[in-house]
Amino acid sequence: MKRIGILTSGGDAPGMNAAIRAVVRKAIYHGIEVYGIYNGYNGLINGKIEKLEVGSVGDIIHRGGTMLHSARCEEFKTREGQQKGIEQLKKHQIEALVVIGGDGSYQGAKALTMQGFPCVGVPGTIDNDIPGTDFTIGFDTALNTVLDAIDKIRDTASSHERTFIIEVMGRDAGDIALWSGLAGGAETILIPEENYDMNEIADRLRSGNDRGKKHSIIIVAEGVKSGNEFAKELKEATNYDTRVSVLGHIQRGGSPTASDRVLASRLGAKAVELLIEGKGGRAVGIQNNQLVDYDIVEILGTPHKVNIDMYQLSKELSI
Ligand code: F6P
C-alpha cells in the first residue's frame, strides 16, 4: 500500500478532524502517502483531490466540522456515479479509501468495496447509529452540547414554572435524546424506536404537579415528530402551555470533547492499520473499549439498537 485517499461525508461531526489527522499521520509514519478528497463523494466524482502532508492536519485536532468539507451526494448512489469515483481514484493512483461518516457514507464505501475498490469505514456521526460500534465520533460532543442546553433551559423552566419541550436531532435513532434526557433528568423522553403513550405522559406531568413540581423537561427526538407538533398534542391532551426549543444544527458544531478526540484518533489509526495489513472492505468500531473491525457489507445489514434498559431506567427515575 503506497497511497490512500480519505474523505468525510454526510452530516459533519465534531472529532472528524481528529480522525483525519490520525489517518494522515499514521499513514505517513508508515511511509504511505495520503490524498484528501474534498466535499465527500461529490468531490470524489469531480476530482477535488489533493495530497495531504503532516502539516496539512496541524492545528485541527480541537476544531469541530471537517477540514475536508462534507456533502450528501445523490449521484454517488448510482452505479454511474460510483464508476466516476473509481476512475478518479485510479487516475490519482489511490489504492484504498478511508471514509469517515454515517450510514449514507458507509453505503458509498460498501458500494465501492463491492466493485473491487477497498474501503475502510470510520464511524463519524452525532447520531450514534452505526452498527458494530458502541460509540460514533461526534456523539459525545453533541450529547454534551444538548446537556448544556437542557441545564440552561431547566433554569428558566424552574423560574417560570413551565414545561419545556426540547427537540433534538436523530431522524432514525434515539441515542441523543435518550442519553441527554437521562443525563439531564428529563421527565419524558421520546425516541423513534419506541411508541409513546400520551395518557402516560399526561399522568406523569399531573402527578409531578400534585407533589408541587411545577416545571418539566420533555426531550423529543426529531424522528418522532417536531417539538411544535408534540406541544400541540400535549396541549390538547392536558391543556398545559409549554415552550418549545429546537436545538437544530448547534448540535453538530463545537470543539470535540476529549472522549471524541481520543476515539477519533484510535479509530482513524486503526483504519490505516487494517489497510497496512491488506484488509479492505472493513468497518472499524469500539466495543467495550476494544477496537474492533467488521466486514462492511455484512455489518450494514445489522440494525443499530438503542439501549432499551436505559430507556426503561429513564422512566423509573422520572416518576
Ligand atoms: O446524521 C446527522 C444529522 O445531524 C441528523 O441527526 C439530522 O437528522 C441530519 O443530520 C440533518 O441533516 P442536514 O444537515 O442535511 O439537514
Side-chain angles (χ1 to χ4, degrees):
M1 188 71 54
K2 291 204 167 50
R3 189 177 286 186
I4 63 173
I6 177 168
L7 63 77
T8 49
S9 151
D12 61 349
M16 278 184 164
N17 278 327
I20 296 167
R21 173 181 177 272
V23 169
V24 171
R25 297 226 167 139
K26 175 90 177 177
I28 293 176
Y29 181 88
H30 288 278
I32 300 168
E33 289 180 344
V34 185
Y35 278 69
I37 296 152
Y38 290 81
N39 298 98
Y41 291 114
N42 255 333
L44 177 58
I45 290 174
N46 299 313
K48 284 186 79 178
I49 302 175
E50 271 171 27
K51 189 173 181 196
L52 299 175
E53 308 288 356
V54 172
S56 315
V57 293
D59 207 20
I60 63 165
I61 195 166
H62 60 300
R63 293 187 201 282
T66 157
M67 65 161 277
L68 291 175
H69 300 248
S70 192
R72 302 194 193 274
C73 178
E74 283 303 311
E75 193 181 354
F76 206 74
K77 291 182 183 158
T78 67
R79 179 105 184 160
E80 209 189 3
Q82 293 154 13
Q83 279 306 319
K84 282 190 198 165
I86 291 178
E87 277 162 30
Q88 288 290 349
L89 291 163
K90 285 192 176 146
K91 187 170 137 195
H92 288 84
Q93 294 169 331
I94 294 168
E95 296 161 69
L97 183 63
V98 176
V99 173
I100 306 169
D103 185 66
S105 318
Y106 270 43
Q107 295 293 350
K110 173 180 157 183
L112 289 180
T113 297
M114 287 174 79
Q115 286 169 58
F117 192 89
C119 293
V120 176
V122 176
T125 165
I126 64 164
D127 293 345
N128 205 39
D129 61 349
I130 298 291
T133 188
D134 293 342
F135 297 106
T136 59
I137 298 163
F139 173 62
D140 187 63
T141 308
L143 182 58
N144 280 287
T145 300
V146 173
L147 188 58
D148 182 52
I150 294 175
D151 290 347
K152 286 177 172 142
I153 287 170
R154 181 180 287 286
D155 288 343
T156 177
S158 136
S159 304
H160 285 266
E161 301 187 338
R162 279 173 172 156
T163 295
F164 264 83
I165 294 165
I166 306 177
E167 181 192 313
V168 301
M169 278 188 168
R171 268 179 307 212
D172 306 310
D175 285 46
I176 295 178
L178 177 57
W179 285 65
S180 67
L182 188 57
E187 277 65 32
T188 298
I189 303 171
L190 307 189
I191 57 174
E193 294 87 346
E194 291 289 305
N195 293 326
Y196 67 89
D197 176 352
M198 187 53 97
N199 292 328
E200 187 195 317
I201 294 171
D203 284 350
R204 190 172 314 158
L205 286 177
R206 283 192 207 102
S207 79
N209 245 290
D210 292 348
R211 64 177 173 85
K213 185 174 172 11
K214 299 278 186 262
H215 69 275
S216 302
I217 304 277
I218 298 175
I219 309 289
V220 182
E222 63 177 343
V224 175
K225 59 182 46 170
S226 79
N228 284 307
E229 267 178 274
F230 181 73
K232 242 170 112 185
E233 266 183 30
L234 189 66
K235 170 89 182 164
E236 278 159 22
T238 62
N239 209 28
Y240 278 17
D241 273 326
T242 55
R243 291 291 186 275
V244 180
S245 280
V246 180
L247 299 188
H249 286 78
I250 202 170
Q251 295 162 91
R252 285 231 300 257
S255 180
T257 58
S259 171
D260 268 332
R261 295 183 203 188
V262 171
L263 178 65
S265 302
R266 293 177 73 190
L267 292 176
K270 173 77 179 172
V272 175
E273 265 167 35
L274 290 174
L275 291 175
I276 290 171
E277 288 165 20
K279 294 184 191 155
R282 311 294 293 170
V284 297
I286 189 150
Q287 283 175 338
N288 303 321
N289 203 25
Q290 299 297 313
L291 295 175
V292 292
D293 61 282
Y294 292 99
D295 184 307
I296 197 165
V297 177
E298 282 169 21
I299 199 71
L300 268 179
T302 328
H304 161 75
K305 286 200 187 90
V306 76
N307 188 325
I308 290 299
D309 292 344
M310 267 176 59
Y311 181 68
Q312 181 55 32
L313 176 64
S314 75
K315 287 190 171 196
E316 290 172 17
L317 300 188
S318 60
I319 43 175

